[in-house]
Amino acid sequence: MKLLRHGPKGQEKPALLHTDGTVRDLSPALPDIVPGTLSQPGMAALRSLDASTLPIVPQGRLAVPWTGMRKFIAIGLNYADHAAEANMPIPKEPIVFTKTVDSAVGCNHPVVLPQGSVKSDWEVELGVVIGTRARYVSEADALNHVAGYCTINDVSEREYQLERGGTWDKGKGCDTFGPIGPWLVSADEVGDPQDLSMWLDVNGERQQTGNTRTMIFTVAQLVSYLSHFMTLEPGDLITTGTPPGVGMGKKPQPQFLKPGDVITLGIERLGEQKQTVFAWDPELIDG
């Protein structure tokens, strides 16, 4: 299943992308896609629906594919070749930081640079959406707690992240710095999360090409690891690191985002995103 939420801000409606390519309204079956929807019983109920009988609706503005997210957790340097381009050692354990829930926006929402930004960067990443509470789970059981997957752009302000006091969170959680979607794709439809190709372009030029098979820590390892430090609840999101090709690592000169840039990115089976970069404008953030 490919689940989505669309419509004007504050009036989003739940829907799914049918196999025939049409958007089908889920409103007759549920008021919204919330954490409870992502539970095993909730997903089973959605699978039991005959999507062909649901109303076809025109796709509106795409929002984050579910609502009620409590935690947006991120993993750093999870691809060995990205660690090398960042001149950082391969981590012995996952590097964990957080993105604010307020950074989460729909897949095509404008990316708005914060005031004073000089080193904002791009990162295509696999997102993992929790469907069943995970607390001290084993690696063997970890994927049973995953509802599905999504495409994420982990936009990052490198000066804030690396030069402003040593904590990554302040460069990762800016408003609009977490485009998500277009869909939440159910785990059964994705299959093996360790064999998904991924890419990102800036202004039509390929910057990142990778595959989740080159992760240092797999999705199962990450879910298990995190569950030993925090309780993962339905609707929580884990973004799992990026392959090489970020702007910070460009040679001979780093390349960072500027107003007017257009970012396009995608992950196999999970859909594509497109964002235009803007200078600071609170109306664009809230719109």
Side-chain angles (χ1 to χ4, degrees):
M1 290 185 298
K2 293 181 174 71
L3 303 177
L4 60 109
R5 296 171 66 248
H6 67 127
K9 186 172 183 179
Q11 302 176 47
E12 295 89 348
K13 291 187 176 181
L16 61 79
L17 184 69
H18 191 29
T19 53
D20 65 4
T22 58
V23 175
R24 302 289 178 137
D25 186 15
L26 280 173
S27 297
L30 72 166
D32 209 343
I33 300 170
V34 298
T37 313
L38 307 179
S39 67
Q40 291 181 356
M43 297 292 275
L46 289 179
R47 289 189 195 94
S48 70
L49 296 173
D50 182 353
S52 65
T53 66
L54 295 171
I56 296 175
V57 291
Q59 180 180 287
R61 160 194 167 271
L62 286 167
V64 177
W66 72 102
T67 188
M69 182 194 311
R70 293 177 53 187
K71 293 190 284 293
F72 192 170
I73 308 153
I75 306 299
L77 301 178
N78 197 29
Y79 290 72
D81 34 12
H82 173 53
E85 74 174 349
N87 295 315
M88 295 181 180
I90 294 175
K92 295 180 180 179
E93 293 191 38
I95 294 173
V96 180
F97 59 94
T98 59
K99 291 179 75 75
T100 64
V101 173
D102 287 340
S103 72
V105 291
C107 62
N108 300 327
H109 195 287
V111 166
V112 182
L113 301 179
Q115 294 183 22
S117 170
V118 293
K119 295 183 179 180
S120 288
D121 205 346
W122 57 83
E123 296 188 5
V124 58
E125 303 200 3
L126 171 67
V128 180
V129 187
I130 299 298
T132 302
R133 175 181 285 179
R135 182 183 288 157
Y136 293 104
V137 301
S138 68
E139 182 180 331
D141 185 46
L143 294 187
N144 292 326
H145 295 262
V146 174
Y149 302 92
C150 57
T151 301
I152 295 178
N153 187 356
D154 175 20
V155 186
S156 309
E157 215 300 342
R158 302 301 188 188
E159 184 194 32
Y160 297 3
Q161 176 189 357
L162 301 172
E163 303 172 31
R164 298 286 295 274
T167 59
W168 285 19
D169 304 57
K170 67 183 71 172
K172 296 284 191 169
C174 304
D175 292 328
T176 76
F177 270 26
I180 298 168
W183 319 302
L184 187 166
V185 184
S186 59
D188 61 316
E189 184 167 324
V190 173
D192 182 6
Q194 301 309 146
D195 189 20
L196 300 172
S197 60
M198 53 209 308
W199 58 272
L200 182 145
D201 295 348
V202 178
N203 300 327
E205 295 186 6
R206 184 58 44 93
Q207 303 295 337
Q208 291 186 273
T209 303
N211 191 290
T212 56
R213 74 169 67 96
T214 65
M215 282 183 180
I216 298 168
F217 304 104
T218 66
V219 170
Q221 288 173 322
L222 292 173
V223 172
S224 174
Y225 181 86
L226 290 169
S227 78
H228 285 69
F229 298 94
M230 65 189 79
T231 300
L232 300 175
E233 298 284 0
D236 287 349
L237 177 61
I238 305 165
T239 188
T240 56
T242 197
V246 300
M248 176 178 63
K250 294 296 179 185
K251 301 291 190 296
Q253 187 72 25
Q255 176 183 341
F256 296 113
L257 295 169
K258 61 186 183 304
D261 285 345
V262 176
I263 312 166
T264 50
L265 61 147
I267 299 180
E268 181 182 3
R269 299 199 287 276
L270 302 182
E272 300 182 4
Q273 304 185 354
K274 181 177 181 179
Q275 298 109 29
T276 300
V277 179
F278 289 84
W280 172 255
D281 184 340
E283 291 188 4
L284 286 174
I285 292 171
D286 299 330

